[in-house]
Structure formats: C-alpha cells, structure tokens
Amino acid sequence: MDMVLHSARRMAAAALAAALACAGAAGAQSPPERVSINTYGVPGLIDMPSAEMQPDAELVTSVYMLSNASGRTQLTFQITPRLQGVFRYATIPDFLQTGNGFIRTYDRSFDLRYQIFRESGWRPAVTVGLQDFGGTSLFSGEYIVATKHFGDRWTVTGGIGWGRLGTRGGFTNPLGALSDRFETRPGFNVNSRGGTFSSDQVFRGDAALFGGVAYKFNDKLTLKAEYSSDAYLEEEARGVLTPKTPLNFGLDYKIRPGVSLGAYAIQGAEVGINVTFALNPKRPPTGSGAEEAPMPVFQRPSRDVQPDLWTTAWEGNEAVVTPVTNALSASLEEQGLKLTALKLDGGRAEVQFRNNRFLTNTQAMGRAARILSATLPPSVETLVLIPENDVGLTGAAVIIRRTDLEALQYRPDGSDEALAVAGIVDARTLSRDGTQQIDGVFPRFQWALGPYVAYGLFDPDAPLRLDLGIEAKATYEPVRGLLFSGAVRQRIVGNRGDIERGSNSVLPRVRTDQAEFFRTDGPFIDHLTAEYFFRPGRSTYARVSAGLLEQQFGGVSAEFLWKPVQSRWGIGVEVNRVRQREFDMKLGFRDLDATTGFVTGYYNHGNGFHSQLDVGQYLAGDRGATYTLSRLFDNGWEVGAFATKTNVSAEEFGEGSFDKGFFLKIPATWLTGQPSRQRFSTTIRPVQRDGGARLSLRNRLYPKVRDMTGPELTDQWGRFWR
C-alpha cells in the first residue's frame, strides 16, 4: 500500500508539473465549449477541480449520488468569463451527532472560482478556488490548479489544495514562508451556525498535491483518472465511507447537448453517479424565437410625385382623425399593444400604449413604429413612442423621424443607426395639451382561475417542500394608476407546513413562524390591496399601497423613486407600517407590529450588471444593509445574489449567521419562443430567519420602471427591428 500511495503522489506531482510546464506539447487545442463537471459541480475530473471554465453565463445543475446514500445537488453559474459561483446542498447519513445517536445532516455551502490565466499556446489555464468558504466547513478547502489540453483528446490537470483538499499526503504549507499563521488551520465544526466567512481558514494548514488526466474517447465519452488529495477524514471517522485508495476512476457520457451522465469509483470504497444539466441564457432552446415577422415599414409616396397626399388640411377633422385612431388602435391590438392615449397633428404623433406581449419595450416600440408608418397620414413626420407599464406609469419617450424609419429598416446596421438618430426624453416633460384619452381603456377588469404552485428549496431539513392548489385572482383599474387586486387560494396537497423544528428565535418572529401560515387548511387570502401609482414630476415616481400586502403582513406602504430617464443611477425611499396577519391568512391580525423603512440606491453598471443597496430598518426592528448584484441578459434572464448584514449578532440571528441567497428570473419566451412578458422566478435562501427580513411587496417601483428608462432601452435596442 505504501508503494501505491508513493506512486500516486508522484503521479499528482507529475500532473501538476506537466500542466504548468507543458513540456513537449505543441499545437494545443482550445478547450471544448462545455467542459465536464466534477462531483462538486465545477469543471474538473472526479472529486478534484480543473482550471477550466464554462462558457460565459452557463448555468449548470448537477446531482451527485453515492452508493452510501450521500448526495450533493449543485447550482453553478458562470458569472463572468473568468468568475464562477456555486451553491451546494449536500446530505450525508449518520453524520450529525444528537442525544439519540447520529442522524442525517443537510449542509449548504457556497464556492467561488476565478481563472487567473486562460490557456494559450504553451501556457496552461490557472484557476484559484474557494470551496465552502461560508458554511459549516464540511467541504471547506482552497486550491490553485492548472489545466492543459494536449491535442484533441488529452487533458492534464494538477494542483495544490488546502483544507479538505490537503488531508491526504499533506506537507507543510509553503505559504508558511510568508507567515507562521498559514501553518495551522482551525478544526472542523459541523455544529457551527455557518454563514460566516472563514477567513482564519483560507489557505491555512497543510497542503497537498492532486492531479489527473481525462481522455476524450469520442464526442460523447470521456474517461477520467485522478489522484485525490481528499482523505474523507470526517466520513471515515463516522463510518460513512472508508477510503482504500487515493485513486478515483470514472467516465462521463454526453447523453445530449447539455445533459451528461457520470459514473465513478470513489476511493476504492463507493460508486457514484453524477447527472448534469446545462443551459445558457444566451442560447434559447427555440433559437431566436418563433414569433411572426413584423410588417415592413410603409414607404410613403414621394412628395414631388403626389403632393396632395402630404397635405395637413385633415388636422382637427374628426372625419379623418377618428378612422385613423380606430385603425391604429385595432392594428396595435393585433400585436398585443393597447393604445391608451394619442396626440395627433399634421406633422407629429405622440402614441402612448401598453405593451402586453413583448418582453422588451424596444421590440414593442419597433412594432408600433411600423404600424404608425402604415396608418398615419404621410404628412406626419415625427413619431413619439411612449410605453406605459401595467400599473399606468410612463418612463422614457422615444422620438424618431418617419424618414429615418423608411431609410434604415433594411440596413445591415440599421439598429445602431436608428438608435443614433432617435431621441430619448422623459415622457413627463411632454405637454399633455391636446392629448386624447382612448375610450374603453378604463375601467379595466381582469380575472383568472387556475392552479398555483408554491415551493421551498434546500431548507435545513429537506431539499424540496411543495404545495399545490387552486387560485382565483382579479384586478380592477377604474382609472390609470389606481389598482385594486386580490387573490384567494385553496391548498389541495403539499408539505410546506411539515417543518418540524420550532422557532428558537430571540427576535420578533416575523418569518420563523412561517410554517404556521403554511399549515392552514381552508381558503386563504394571498393578498388584497389598493394601490395608487403616479408621477409627482420629472424623473420621479411614487406608490401608495394599503391592505393585505403579502401572505404574512398587512398595513400601509409608501414609496418614492428618483430615476432620471438617461441616468444609470436611481434613489428610492420606502416606508411601511404593518401588522402580522393571523395564521389562517384571512382578515384577522396578530399582536405583532412593525415599522420598516429603507433608502435604496440603484446603479446600472452596463453589460447587464446591476447593483442595489438597501439601508434601513427591517421587520424585526434590526437595522443594516442589503447588497444585491444581478446580471440581466437581453433576452430577459436575470441571475443575482444578495446578502444582508444588520446589527443583529450571529448568535442572535441563529443558523446561517446572516441573511443571504440568490435568485433566478426566467422569461417564458425563452422557453417557448413565443412573445410573452411573463417571467418565472425563484429565490433560494440557505435558511430563513427573522434577522434581515423584508416585506414581500408585489409592485415595488424600480422593477416596474427600470425597463422604461434610457440605459435599458439602449441595451435592448437590437430588438427594435424584430
């Protein structure tokens, strides 16, 4: 056995040296577009990571199962071409010690990886990674790894690891030459609260080498072998897994693009299966979409040839204006656009409409512009397009000349040229004198009856909790901006209320009693609100809401937003006075009041990245800040993460130490290819506690206004001609 270990360690050292030096390699090939995922959800061999990265924006779900009933589910997102993040939910049987023995544990952790060097010529790719850097440290480890491709088939990986990746064949930490503090590492504590950044562990303690090779047998099958520097110490101590060799072997088989199956022999003791599903927001499954092609821009006859058609004598003539208005309204309706207001004179048309169909307002404006070109008299040269959102607010108005539309629609760079000649102004600055409100728009009543799904993912005791039921909902809008809405639900089946652990919170239980709400058996009111949305002035927006604001709280809420149309900045103020609802979620209230308020800064960094910083008081009375970073793609996908730190200590907060999580928003049109403004969203928190809790308000201003401002319209302008 000693000879085997000695040989294996030499193999790891040789792999590291080969990947770094690349001696004898020539004509190295670029890495494949999608690379193989290891058992920890990152590019790699089997247990060990590689230095490779996935394509930008790649989102990978991997499910790994061992024959000893252990398992890991990972969500991995390629945040930028060189930065990758991972959320992991793991379960191990007979691991957590209690008074009655050992029970199964569910562990949540996060990783970050950054590629320092990309593979190029003789140089390998080099990546540094932090594994489980903010959890209980069950999988905690750090590494620096290099990977090199040799020809089309061979890939060699070698690296040095710390923490869990430094437990087999370890040696004194070479970083000890910089400081003695790198030579020791705090011990593992499965009973810790988790959630805190383990700065006293990063790159500390013994280090060890790991490495391996992958051989691409054909386009579908890849064979792998590695020397693992993970000795599975904690699992062996509990009898969960008894390592017999440091060598792991396996294969990956590509079932279809984006779906792979891996099978591995782990430590000579267990067999593992890994299933991965990959998708990319940049590559919709339906391609560029399946909506019908837009109508062409109508070319007006030359003024010199037919000067009579260019007359403005029709201006103010109802016999002409009324048929034009009716034709315009009907044509817009066919495209899923609702004409709400119109100002029309001999040379200018201001058209306000609701976009009920297209994901981006730029595409809606492009369709509206084509309809205007075919509907309005030839003398109308200036077109003003004013999108209005579903709560009656307007943002930017786009002004474009009809002559430019006629000239640019077939130009190869027509989108950029159209943007260059278009003007973007605040719709609030336009004079409303002479604006005609279209009959039949208000009052507006909508209702729906159908199923609902409510779920929770990856809580401390179960990977999935799910309720299914039926929902009746309605919205009434008597005038623009005033909305009355509500929804009544009846749960039919589900287990969201089966949370066994009681709340031990020392804070007001604004969220940890949520299981009591989930257990209600009768019909319940999801929300019942009256809301008023308006624009106090230029660059400003306001909202006032009252009623049953969400499932657990009711009261009053007010919000003010300053968001200049052409600015990347925005500032909002929100104040709420609420009371907790009765657990049956009908009309009653409990004796728990809360006052919350926030000042929020918003910033559009460009390239789809957005920051949000909320500072204020939360539902439990704690005060602090929440930072959110998200990436919004042109096709409507949004991926983001958030973290909240308040004046509540980690001990008072409880498990998790502070509130954090991530969210996904997926547009329906990405899945179906058909135009739709519907988006599916989910938020994943490792644990829901009372600290850092906010109201779940339905119609906050910034999400409603953001896509109607200059930076968003500019970023999405490529869809103007679609």
Side-chain angles (χ1 to χ4, degrees):
M1 177 61 70
D2 290 341
M3 183 175 295
V4 171
L5 289 174
H6 180 67
S7 298
R9 291 168 188 163
R10 289 183 62 188
M11 183 183 93
L16 177 60
L20 289 171
C22 307
Q29 300 296 314
S30 298
E33 186 177 28
R34 275 179 172 152
V35 298
S36 181
I37 296 298
N38 75 356
T39 64
Y40 283 90
V42 301
L45 296 164
I46 301 172
D47 276 351
M48 299 296 104
S50 72
E52 299 162 296
M53 289 286 170
Q54 294 287 11
D56 183 36
E58 193 86 350
L59 181 65
V60 180
T61 301
S62 59
V63 180
Y64 173 60
M65 297 163 287
L66 274 170
S67 51
N68 65 6
S70 297
R72 294 192 287 267
T73 298
Q74 283 112 181
L75 300 176
T76 306
F77 181 60
Q78 194 70 41
I79 302 169
T80 69
R82 294 193 179 195
L83 180 65
Q84 191 175 60
V86 182
F87 169 74
R88 180 177 301 104
Y89 185 82
T91 177
I92 303 176
D94 302 325
F95 195 86
L96 187 63
Q97 188 172 12
T98 67
N100 298 321
F102 289 91
I103 62 173
R104 179 178 292 274
T105 186
Y106 295 91
D107 185 81
R108 300 161 306 282
S109 58
F110 294 91
D111 299 1
L112 276 177
R113 293 161 38 90
Y114 183 76
Q115 190 176 66
I116 303 172
F117 300 114
R118 292 174 174 167
E119 184 175 353
S120 176
W122 297 93
R123 186 182 67 195
V126 177
T127 292
V128 59
L130 303 179
Q131 181 173 290
D132 188 3
F133 64 89
T136 60
S137 299
L138 174 57
F139 300 107
S140 176
E142 304 81 47
Y143 55 86
I144 300 173
V145 61
T147 297
K148 192 74 180 74
H149 291 79
F150 297 88
D152 294 328
R153 297 184 181 273
W154 289 96
T155 305
V156 177
T157 291
I160 181 172
W162 291 262
R164 186 171 181 120
L165 300 181
T167 54
R168 174 182 279 120
F171 48 83
T172 301
N173 191 343
L175 296 177
L178 301 177
S179 173
D180 292 343
R181 60 192 175 92
F182 286 106
E183 295 182 358
T184 57
R185 187 182 185 98
F188 167 72
N189 180 13
V190 73
N191 294 310
S192 72
R193 288 182 305 274
T196 57
F197 180 64
S198 306
S199 58
D200 60 342
Q201 292 186 344
V202 175
F203 297 106
R204 305 290 180 87
D206 286 352
L209 299 178
F210 62 85
V213 296
Y215 176 71
K216 186 177 179 182
F217 186 78
N218 55 38
D219 288 341
K220 290 184 174 294
L221 179 63
T222 300
L223 306 177
K224 298 179 175 182
E226 71 176 15
Y227 167 78
S228 171
S229 59
D230 182 357
Y232 282 80
L233 295 180
E234 299 299 332
E235 290 84 352
E236 183 176 17
R238 293 164 173 79
V240 176
L241 186 150
T242 304
K244 298 178 181 178
T245 174
L247 302 178
N248 296 328
F249 300 94
L251 59 86
D252 279 351
Y253 184 78
K254 184 186 296 183
I255 299 174
R256 57 181 298 273
V259 181
S260 297
L261 175 66
Y264 315 117
I266 303 297
Q267 306 275 321
E270 300 289 342
V271 174
I273 299 294
N274 195 30
V275 183
T276 63
F277 305 89
L279 57 85
N280 196 302
K282 292 183 175 181
R283 297 195 294 269
T286 57
S288 61
E291 73 265 27
E292 75 280 3
M295 62 181 293
V297 173
F298 179 78
Q299 299 286 335
R300 293 171 292 179
S302 169
R303 186 192 299 265
D304 295 333
V305 175
Q306 293 182 284
D308 293 344
L309 291 179
W310 289 73
T311 180
T312 60
W314 57 268
E315 185 176 347
N317 185 345
E318 292 298 320
V320 176
V321 173
T322 298
V324 167
T325 302
N326 293 338
L328 177 59
S329 181
S331 297
L332 289 172
E333 194 80 43
E334 290 178 358
Q335 291 290 318
L337 309 176
K338 182 69 174 179
L339 181 66
T340 61
L342 176 66
K343 183 177 180 180
L344 183 63
D345 60 33
R348 181 183 175 98
E350 296 181 9
V351 181
Q352 187 168 317
F353 59 90
R354 287 197 177 183
N355 170 23
N356 300 317
R357 186 185 186 200
F358 298 101
L359 185 65
T360 65
N361 281 318
T362 49
Q363 187 171 3
M365 287 189 292
R367 297 290 176 115
R370 290 170 168 85
I371 292 170
L372 293 175
S373 75
T375 307
L376 298 178
S379 64
V380 179
E381 169 66 10
T382 302
L383 308 179
V384 184
L385 307 168
I386 311 172
E388 173 186 323
N389 65 19
D390 59 349
V391 296
L393 293 174
T394 61
V398 172
I399 305 173
I400 192 167
R401 295 190 309 167
R402 196 166 170 182
T403 300
D404 292 326
L405 289 178
E406 295 167 345
L408 298 176
Q409 68 168 323
Y410 297 123
R411 298 279 288 271
D413 53 353
S415 292
D416 291 338
E417 291 187 69
L419 177 60
V421 298
I424 301 178
V425 301
D426 190 335
R428 190 66 170 74
T429 63
L430 301 175
S431 172
R432 306 303 291 167
D433 294 341
T435 300
Q436 172 192 358
Q437 302 300 317
I438 304 302
D439 293 336
V441 176
F442 303 105
R444 184 175 68 97
F445 178 74
Q446 294 178 309
W447 69 276
L449 177 66
Y452 82 86
V453 178
Y455 57 89
L457 297 173
F458 309 127
D459 75 22
D461 299 306
L464 174 65
R465 297 191 187 276
L466 182 70
D467 285 350
L468 302 175
I470 189 168
E471 177 186 62
K473 59 183 179 180
T475 301
Y476 178 63
E477 190 176 4
V479 295
R480 178 180 285 108
L482 179 61
L483 278 77
F484 299 93
S485 61
V488 176
R489 291 181 171 184
Q490 172 64 62
R491 180 169 62 93
I492 297 174
V493 64
N495 67 344
R496 285 205 306 159
D498 296 345
I499 299 175
E500 297 179 359
R501 63 170 69 187
S503 173
N504 60 357
S505 179
V506 300
L507 300 173
R509 296 181 182 179
V510 295
R511 290 303 185 200
T512 54
D513 279 341
Q514 61 182 345
E516 299 294 337
F517 291 93
F518 298 156
R519 291 187 185 116
T520 184
D521 290 325
F524 64 91
I525 302 172
D526 179 75
H527 68 275
L528 183 64
T529 59
E531 299 173 284
Y532 182 53
F533 300 86
F534 61 101
R535 296 202 58 183
R538 181 175 180 176
S539 303
T540 58
Y541 307 81
R543 169 188 60 83
V544 179
S545 306
L548 306 179
L549 302 174
E550 51 144 280
Q551 289 188 351
Q552 298 181 34
F553 285 90
V556 294
S557 173
E559 184 182 6
F560 178 85
L561 174 67
W562 174 79
K563 178 65 176 72
V565 161
Q566 289 288 40
S567 174
R568 295 187 178 273
W569 286 97
I571 299 176
V573 178
E574 175 185 302
V575 179
N576 312 289
R577 178 62 180 172
V578 295
R579 173 170 286 187
Q580 191 174 56
R581 297 173 61 185
E582 289 284 3
F583 294 143
D584 62 6
M585 287 187 283
K586 292 185 171 63
L587 296 175
F589 289 89
R590 306 181 72 235
D591 190 20
L592 176 57
D593 296 326
T595 299
T596 77
F598 296 91
V599 176
T600 303
Y602 306 94
Y603 185 67
N604 181 341
H605 298 272
N607 297 320
F609 287 93
H610 296 261
S611 282
Q612 177 176 331
L613 179 63
D614 302 275
V615 180
Q617 180 166 297
Y618 297 80
L619 283 171
D622 50 329
R623 298 177 178 178
T626 299
Y627 176 67
T628 303
L629 177 65
S630 66
R631 184 176 181 185
L632 177 66
F633 297 89
D634 289 343
N635 58 17
W637 263 81
E638 188 170 10
V639 182
F642 60 90
T644 298
K645 196 71 180 78
T646 72
N647 58 354
V648 171
S649 68
E651 290 77 12
E652 292 175 298
F653 184 92
E655 184 178 1
S657 297
F658 64 94
D659 188 51
K660 68 272 188 188
F662 64 94
F663 59 88
L664 300 172
K665 296 180 182 179
I666 305 173
T669 185
W670 188 89
L671 298 168
T672 66
Q674 297 297 324
S676 172
R677 289 188 65 80
Q678 185 178 9
R679 293 207 295 178
F680 307 102
S681 63
T682 185
T683 298
I684 297 176
R685 280 181 167 88
V687 62
Q688 175 72 74
R689 301 289 295 179
D690 296 314
R694 292 192 66 178
L695 285 173
S696 179
L697 293 174
R698 297 173 55 252
N699 288 319
R700 283 192 166 98
L701 288 173
Y702 188 74
K704 290 292 183 183
V705 169
R706 183 174 69 177
D707 70 341
M708 299 193 304
T709 60
E712 292 294 317
L713 295 175
T714 299
D715 290 344
Q716 299 166 354
W717 195 264
R719 304 180 77 88
F720 183 82
W721 290 115
R722 287 197 53 166

